[in-house]
Amino acid sequence: MAWSFDTYRLDPERFQLSCRNEPVRVEPQVLSLLIHLVRNRDHMVTKDEIIAAVWQGEAVSDASISSRIRSARQAVGDDGVRQGVIRTVHGRGFRFVPEVSNSSPAHATAEAYLPAQPDRPGGRPSIAVLPFQQLGMLPELAILGDAIPHEIIEALSRLRWLAVIARGSTFRFRKVTSDLDLVSTALAARYVLSGVIENPGRTIAVTLELTDSSSREIIWADRLAAPVDEVGDLRARIVAHLVSALEAHIPYNEARIARLSDPTGLDAWANYHIGLGHLYRFTAADNALAKRCFERAIGADPRLARAHAGLSFTSFLEAFLRLTPDPASASRDARRHAERALELDPLDPFANFTMGRTFWLSDEPDIASDWLGRATALNPNYAQGFYASAFTAMLTGNAPVSLAALDTALNLSPLDPLLYGIHGVRAQILIQQEDHEAAAGWADRAATTPGAHYLIAMIALVANGLAERHEQAARWRQMIRKLKPDATAADYFAAFPTRETKSRARIAAELRRHGF
C-alpha cells in the first residue's frame, strides 16, 4: 500500500518518496522516519517510538532526532515554522498532519499480490535481499558481495508466491544491513535475507540467514564454500540451494503463523499456506483438510491462482491414490482447476506443474512432459517440476532423461515433501533396467520416507520380490494391506501406466504372486 498526500506519494514497498511523479532523494533513516510517521498518523509519535523504529532502540541524541525531522520536513516541502506536514508536540513528540489517501503500488496487478506488512499477518510474503557483508575479501572478488545477492533477487523473482523487494531499494541499506528493524520497517518486508561473504585463503565462503522480521527469529541458515577458481559453480549452487530452501521454509513458517491467528480472520494467502501444509502429508484426511483450506482461500480471493492450483493437486491425489469411489470425476476436477489457475496466472510454475500432472491421469505422458518442461523453464530451480519430469520420462522408458532429472531434483531439494516419489521413480527405472537389487534398496528408502503412500509400498514389494528378498517383500505386503486393504494391481498400473512392456510384465507377475 502506498500513501498520497498533497503532491507527494510515499511507497514503503519501493522505499521511495516522489513529488509529482519525480523521485525525491532522501537518506534511508529520513525515509524510514517519514514512513513511520505516516503509518502512525492517527496518533502522536513519541521520541522513544522514533528511536525504536529508526535506530532500533540504540541511544541517540536529541540533536540526531532533530536533524532527521528537519531533513524529513525539507523532503516534503515543510519547515519548522509552518509545520504543515510534520507538527511538533512540544516536549512530547511529533504528528503527521495532512490528509492521506491509500493507493496500490504502481506495479501491482491485483490486491492479492500486495506484500504483507511485517507487523500484520496475511498477504503474500515479502522478502528483502540485502548486499552481503564482506570480510577480508580480495579487491578483485569484492564485487561478489553485490553480484550474488543480485542473482538471488533475479531467481526469487520467478517465484509467483513471494514478493521480492527490488535491488534499487534493498541495496540502499549497504551500510545498515545489521539494523533489521530499520530494513523491515522501511521496506515492509516480512522476511530479510542477509549474508556474509569471506575469502579465507584460496576459498570463498558465504553464510546465509533468513530472518522473520516480525519475530526476529532465524528460520533458516546455511554456509556454502568452494575454492576461488570454482566461484562460478559456487554462485549457481548458492542460488539453487537458496531458492529450494525458501520454497520449503517460508510456506512452513507462514502456515505456523496462520495457525496461531484467529481462524475467522485468515486471508486468502494464510489459508493457502495452511492448505499446502496439509497437502504434503498425503493422507486422505489431510487431503480433505487441504481442499477446504484452498476453497476458503478462493472464497476470500477468487483470483488467487495458487489456490486453484492447490485444488487441482488435491483432486489429482484423489484420483491417483484412489481416495474417491469416482476417480474419473476427480481427474476432470484436477484438469478444470489447473486450467483456471493457468487462466489467472499462466507464468506460475506451480500452475503449470499441476496441469502437467493431470495428463498422467489420462495416460498422455508426451503432453505432460510439455507442461512440466514449461514449469521448470519458468523456474529452473523448481525441484518438484524436475521430479515430475523424471516420472513422465520413466513412463515412456527414457531412463537417461529420468535419471538426470531425478539427480537435479534431489540436488535442489534433498528434503523435499515429494522425496518418497523421487526415490520411488528411481526404483522403477532400476526395475526397467533389471537391476533389481539396487531397485530394492531405493524402493525401501522411498517407502520409509515420510509421506509415502501405499503405491510406494507396492513398488517396494515388487522390487524386493524381484530381488528375491522374500521376507522384506512379505513385510511390504502386510504394510500395503494395512494402508489400503482393497489395493489391486489395477491401482498400481493406473498410477504408473509404464509403456516399457518387459518390466510391466515382470511387475504384474510379481503382484499376482503376492495376491494383488
Side-chain angles (χ1 to χ4, degrees), residues 28-191:
Q29 284 189 340
V30 175
L31 196 49
S32 297
L33 171 61
L34 273 172
I35 290 169
H36 189 73
L37 289 173
V38 176
R39 185 170 284 154
N40 295 278
R41 61 190 178 275
D42 59 339
H43 65 272
M44 182 198 71
V45 176
T46 67
K47 289 184 179 181
D48 287 342
E49 289 178 65
I50 291 173
I51 292 170
V54 178
W55 282 276
Q56 201 175 356
E58 294 180 2
V60 296
S61 66
D62 285 348
S64 295
I65 298 173
S66 297
S67 171
R68 303 304 187 275
I69 291 289
R70 185 166 57 251
S71 297
R73 282 177 169 145
Q74 290 173 351
V76 295
D78 197 14
D79 59 54
V81 177
R82 187 170 67 90
Q83 295 191 9
V85 179
I86 301 173
R87 180 174 300 162
T88 300
V89 182
H90 289 290
R92 300 186 63 191
F94 304 91
R95 183 157 190 174
F96 193 84
V97 178
E99 289 293 324
V100 175
S101 60
N102 296 328
S103 58
S104 297
H107 67 281
T109 57
E111 180 67 22
Y113 280 86
L114 294 178
Q117 302 295 342
D119 56 352
R120 68 173 174 84
R124 183 165 65 139
S126 55
I127 187 169
V129 180
L130 303 180
F132 290 169
Q133 296 181 48
Q134 300 187 27
L135 296 178
M137 295 293 290
L138 294 172
E140 62 268 26
L141 297 174
I143 188 62
L144 294 175
D146 284 1
I148 296 176
H150 176 70
E151 291 168 358
I152 290 170
I153 289 171
E154 286 188 332
L156 294 181
S157 297
R158 296 173 181 263
L159 306 181
R160 308 292 281 179
W161 58 271
L162 186 63
V164 184
I165 310 300
R167 166 187 170 145
S169 295
T170 58
F171 277 35
R172 296 177 71 173
F173 290 88
R174 185 181 311 282
K175 296 181 180 180
V176 291
T177 53
S178 61
D179 192 341
L180 184 62
D181 281 324
L182 174 61
V183 173
S184 61
T185 299
L187 300 178
R190 178 85 63 83
Y191 297 92

